[in-house]
Amino acid sequence: FGVHLIDETNLTKKQTQYLSDYFDVNILLHLQPMLLASQRIQPFLQNDQLYLAVKLAYKSSKSSATKKRVLHSYAIVKIPTHYQPRFLQLPVENGNHYIIFLDDVVRAFLYKIFPGFNIISSFSFKITRDAELYIEDEFQGNLLQKITKSLNKREVGAPCRFTYDSSMPKPFLKFLLNFLGLSKNDLFPGGKYHNFSDFFSFPNPTKRALVLDKLVPNKIKELEGGVNLFDEISRREFLFNFPYHSYDHVLNLLKQSAEDPLVTTIKITQYRVAKKSEVIKYLLRAANNGKEVVVFVELKARFDEEQNIKFAQQMEKAGINVLYSFPGLKVHSKILQITRKEGKRFKNYSYLGTGNFNESTARIYSDIGLFTADTRLTEEVEKVFQVLAGKKINYNFKHLLVAQFNMRKDFTKLIDNEIANAKKGKEARMVIKMNSLEDKKMIDKLYEASQAGVKIEMIIRGICCLIPGIKDLSENISAISIVDLYLEHSRIFIFHNGGKTKYYASSADWMRRNLNRRIEVAFPIYDKNLQKIMKDIINIQLSDNIKARILDKSLSNKYKTTKAEKPIQAQIATYTYFKLKEG
């Protein structure tokens, strides 16, 4: 396609002149180089900003004063990404497009920044500051005030990670560590470039030629055309798999709830919401329309604390009953309860999900959601909201798996049931899909199941502390990871259960923090048609031979490919599956 990413080492004369002029006009005035002259005066380096460490040599001079100078010096230059784009496009040459990192433009013209020196070498680095919110006591005093106060210190926290170009010579690296007061434990070697999230802004000079065809989210016909959603949900449950389905269905339910005169109460959890949140807009509208609105806001959602506080205060001003974080716990469940007065009775409608109430991330995160009026579920969702309201309840959850109540225990029972069936010679198998598997007790239970003969297939996108395929330990466990266009975020658990298969979707991974220190909700899928859909989408993922990588002891992460098989890219195949299904 004629697009070339170049650096400062392979510029033509014409490109060099163009960039030199551009540097003088647009970049040089935004640079504030820092000579590292005295360890008593340490420069303050900003969190996660890009810097060049530069080794300099004084230019030769015949004066005796110059001869007495130290021959070498060091400096730091901040890459001005706050003023200039990370990637610069050069003029087209012979139909070819050339793009260069801003880092390399600065590197190419360091001699203009330090006119009295020769440039010996330069290497990129960045410092990450400790973003932990250190709250001495969550159990006493005003937690909101403590978190707000702590947020002000985040950008000036102690450096905890020094990410650097691993080609930096050891003496140079040692000098920087000593000068900046860092230790070897802070070192994280990397490549020439950092902050790869900037690639989201990578320019596309060819416009459509390099853009993937947009996958327009599918819509469920029964929920379209201005129908009464409560009537439709009363008739049957609806299962969503975002972003293959449109998140508008969730927003429309909130919109109708805000405007429906029969709706009396809306309760919802908030962990991470969009910056310009339609969800919050409809909750505010509901409050203005006289509905009772209860929102549990998790203040300790890392890096979203400030935004959550802002929205919480906005909602409180509108008369919404805002509930805040529990000391020592995070609320990570994704649940919505709508109460409607229908005749002489009140009826509950629930939404349960694996992802946040966030219409922005719903376009790029793959998550499961369920609309239901099944009283087995809605009654237990109501119990969870009682817990979130601070009520101490003595309740035995029979359908939902709720961390802090029965989640770990019931997941363990489900695995034990497969173990018992395997020992009886019956078919026993499980499919587990989640972001991360780290909890030792659950891993040991899976090892036990494998040794008993239970066939276990795992789809783990991120951390996986279980080693599959080890003889006499995990030989019955296989594991893949799928990294593709969308972020795999749903948690799905399928247990064969002697032929009466059980299906669950969950907000929780099997990590200690999820099972021990959070309030999470896993929900069963009872409807046979929806169970088939979950089975189908999991089978599609297990069949992926393009984007799936095999997790094994060697950590080689090789792509799962078989020449005899037809190519299956799970995310594209899933989109096609729903497109055909929804017509």
Side-chain angles (χ1 to χ4, degrees):
F1 294 99
V3 178
H4 305 273
L5 182 61
I6 59 176
D7 65 15
E8 77 284 3
T9 65
N10 53 9
L11 295 171
T12 64
K13 288 184 179 180
K14 187 176 180 181
Q15 290 169 339
T16 301
Q17 185 59 54
Y18 172 84
L19 287 175
S20 178
D21 295 340
Y22 187 93
F23 180 86
D24 292 343
V25 175
N26 299 291
I27 298 177
L28 185 58
L29 72 162
H30 296 302
L31 298 177
Q32 294 180 323
M34 297 171 278
L35 279 170
L36 307 184
S38 170
Q39 277 190 280
R40 289 175 296 178
I41 305 175
Q42 287 188 3
F44 179 82
L45 303 182
Q46 292 178 296
N47 182 48
D48 277 341
Q49 296 298 307
L50 300 170
Y51 292 90
L52 286 180
V54 187
K55 186 175 182 180
L56 308 163
Y58 287 98
K59 289 185 176 179
S60 59
S61 172
K62 295 181 180 179
S63 70
S64 58
T66 304
K67 291 179 181 178
K68 293 180 181 179
R69 291 177 181 172
V70 179
L71 293 177
H72 293 103
S73 187
Y74 297 91
I76 291 174
V77 179
K78 181 183 175 185
I79 306 299
T81 52
H82 51 306
Y83 290 111
Q84 290 291 316
R86 184 77 189 279
F87 302 98
L88 300 179
Q89 296 187 63
L90 284 74
V92 177
E93 294 185 16
N94 300 320
N96 289 309
H97 304 272
Y98 298 91
I99 299 169
I100 187 170
F101 276 93
L102 178 62
D103 322 27
D104 290 330
V105 178
V106 175
R107 200 188 304 264
F109 300 105
L110 285 171
Y111 68 89
K112 294 188 177 186
I113 306 171
F114 304 102
F117 298 87
N118 292 318
I119 310 301
I120 305 301
S121 60
S122 63
F123 300 92
S124 61
F125 75 92
K126 72 171 185 175
I127 280 180
T128 302
R129 295 187 173 274
D130 187 358
E132 189 62 62
L133 297 181
Y134 291 100
I135 301 169
E136 292 182 4
D137 186 357
E138 290 188 20
F139 295 86
Q140 294 185 16
N142 187 309
L143 185 59
L144 173 60
Q145 290 179 359
K146 289 182 178 182
I147 290 176
T148 303
K149 183 178 180 181
S150 188
L151 281 172
N152 296 329
K153 300 177 182 178
R154 173 167 277 171
E155 291 300 314
V156 294
C160 62
R161 176 180 293 182
F162 183 83
T163 307
Y164 65 99
D165 184 342
S166 58
S167 65
M168 184 185 296
K170 289 185 178 179
F172 197 164
L173 178 62
K174 184 178 180 181
F175 171 83
L176 282 177
L177 288 182
N178 290 337
F179 193 93
L180 298 173
L182 301 172
S183 71
K184 291 182 179 180
N185 293 331
D186 300 319
L187 290 178
F188 283 80
K192 183 180 179 182
Y193 307 104
H194 312 302
N195 287 4
F196 273 24
S197 61
D198 289 342
F199 273 101
F200 280 114
S201 63
F202 193 82
N204 178 13
T206 66
K207 304 305 177 188
R208 289 294 307 166
L210 292 175
V211 178
L212 291 171
D213 290 335
K214 187 175 181 180
L215 303 180
V216 179
N218 297 290
K219 294 187 176 182
I220 298 176
K221 287 183 178 179
E222 296 98 311
L223 303 179
E224 285 293 289
V227 299
N228 186 307
L229 297 178
F230 301 106
D231 290 344
E232 297 301 323
I233 298 169
S234 291
R235 292 189 185 100
R236 73 174 183 91
E237 292 181 319
F238 292 89
L239 185 74
F240 306 98
N241 192 177
F242 309 114
Y244 313 111
H245 283 117
S246 171
Y247 199 73
D248 286 348
H249 294 310
V250 177
L251 297 177
N252 287 340
L253 180 63
L254 284 167
K255 182 175 184 291
Q256 279 198 17
S257 301
E259 298 170 351
D260 187 336
L262 300 183
V263 170
T264 60
T265 308
I266 302 172
K267 299 176 183 178
I268 192 171
T269 57
Q270 176 188 320
Y271 194 77
R272 302 186 197 278
V273 296
K275 289 183 178 179
K276 296 180 180 179
S277 175
E278 293 283 303
V279 172
I280 300 297
K281 181 180 80 174
Y282 292 131
L283 294 175
L284 293 171
R285 183 181 298 179
N288 290 335
N289 289 339
K291 318 293 183 188
E292 179 188 2
V293 182
V294 180
V295 182
F296 187 96
V297 177
E298 180 50 73
L299 297 177
K300 293 175 286 185
R302 180 168 288 198
F303 302 117
D304 278 78
E305 302 97 339
E306 189 172 359
Q307 179 169 282
N308 284 357
I309 289 171
K310 181 190 75 172
F311 280 131
Q313 292 172 340
Q314 183 181 355
M315 288 188 289
E316 282 186 318
K317 288 179 181 178
I320 292 175
N321 181 12
V322 178
L323 308 174
Y324 289 109
S325 300
F326 291 121
L329 285 175
K330 278 188 181 181
V331 174
H332 191 248
S333 52
K334 327 293 185 182
I335 53 176
L336 163 67
Q337 184 88 313
I338 299 161
T339 304
R340 196 167 182 258
K341 189 175 182 182
E342 300 178 354
K344 295 182 179 181
R345 69 189 185 104
F346 291 91
K347 184 173 181 178
N348 288 326
Y349 297 83
S350 297
Y351 170 84
L352 301 104
T354 68
N356 297 306
F357 290 99
N358 187 317
E359 61 272 25
S360 295
T361 56
R363 291 194 290 267
I364 55 175
Y365 285 24
S366 175
D367 274 303
I368 296 293
L370 178 73
F371 281 173
T372 183
D374 186 333
T375 55
R376 291 175 294 181
L377 302 184
T378 60
E379 288 178 4
E380 294 200 346
V381 170
E382 188 63 31
K383 292 295 181 184
V384 176
F385 275 109
Q386 289 179 20
V387 173
L388 299 184
K391 296 180 181 179
K392 293 184 179 180
I393 65 170
N394 183 18
Y395 183 80
N396 180 25
F397 287 95
K398 296 179 180 179
H399 303 280
L400 300 182
L401 310 185
V402 183
Q404 303 303 310
F405 287 86
N406 65 329
M407 180 176 281
R408 180 187 289 277
K409 179 182 67 176
D410 283 8
F411 270 135
T412 301
K413 282 182 179 179
L414 288 162
I415 300 173
D416 282 337
N417 182 52
E418 298 299 324
I419 292 172
N421 285 335
K423 289 181 176 179
K424 292 175 184 176
K426 297 180 179 180
E427 183 177 3
R429 50 188 168 85
M430 304 158 43
V431 180
I432 299 170
K433 179 182 188 296
M434 63 185 91
N435 296 331
S436 299
L437 173 59
E438 170 264 357
D439 184 88
K440 186 177 186 303
K441 290 181 180 179
M442 299 308 293
I443 289 172
D444 287 344
K445 183 57 67 174
L446 292 174
Y447 283 147
E448 181 186 344
S450 173
Q451 292 171 60
V454 181
K455 300 295 183 183
I456 304 170
E457 295 175 287
M458 304 197 309
I459 306 170
I460 313 291
R461 172 177 57 82
I463 297 168
C464 182
C465 296
L466 179 151
I467 305 174
I470 303 299
K471 185 174 175 58
D472 298 327
L473 177 67
S474 58
E475 59 188 310
N476 288 310
I477 304 176
S478 62
I480 61 171
S481 173
I482 297 175
V483 178
D484 200 352
L485 179 64
Y486 303 124
L487 180 77
E488 293 293 337
H489 192 252
S490 60
R491 294 87 167 180
I492 296 173
F493 305 91
I494 302 175
F495 302 90
H496 184 62
N497 190 39
K500 297 179 180 179
T501 309
K502 292 190 174 185
Y503 296 81
Y504 289 89
S506 176
S507 64
D509 294 309
W510 284 359
M511 302 181 74
R512 283 171 291 180
R513 69 184 189 187
N514 298 94
L515 299 175
N516 294 352
R517 302 191 300 275
R518 292 185 175 185
I519 295 178
E520 306 266 15
V521 172
F523 51 97
I525 304 299
Y526 288 138
D527 183 278
K528 296 297 182 184
N529 293 324
L530 302 188
Q531 287 181 353
K532 184 181 184 306
I533 292 173
M534 286 191 71
K535 181 180 178 180
D536 289 346
I537 61 178
I538 282 294
N539 284 340
I540 290 172
Q541 292 220 321
L542 291 172
S543 301
D544 190 306
N545 54 20
I546 294 180
K547 289 296 185 178
R549 293 178 181 267
I550 298 171
L551 303 182
D552 57 24
K553 183 180 180 180
S554 67
L555 301 178
S556 57
N557 294 336
K558 293 180 180 178
Y559 280 109
K560 177 187 170 186
T561 56
T562 305
K563 292 182 180 179
E565 295 177 352
K566 66 177 182 179
I568 298 175
Q569 187 174 347
Q571 292 190 352
I572 303 301
T574 302
Y575 175 80
T576 303
Y577 171 86
F578 284 114
K579 188 175 180 64
L580 293 172
K581 192 169 194 62
E582 309 305 346

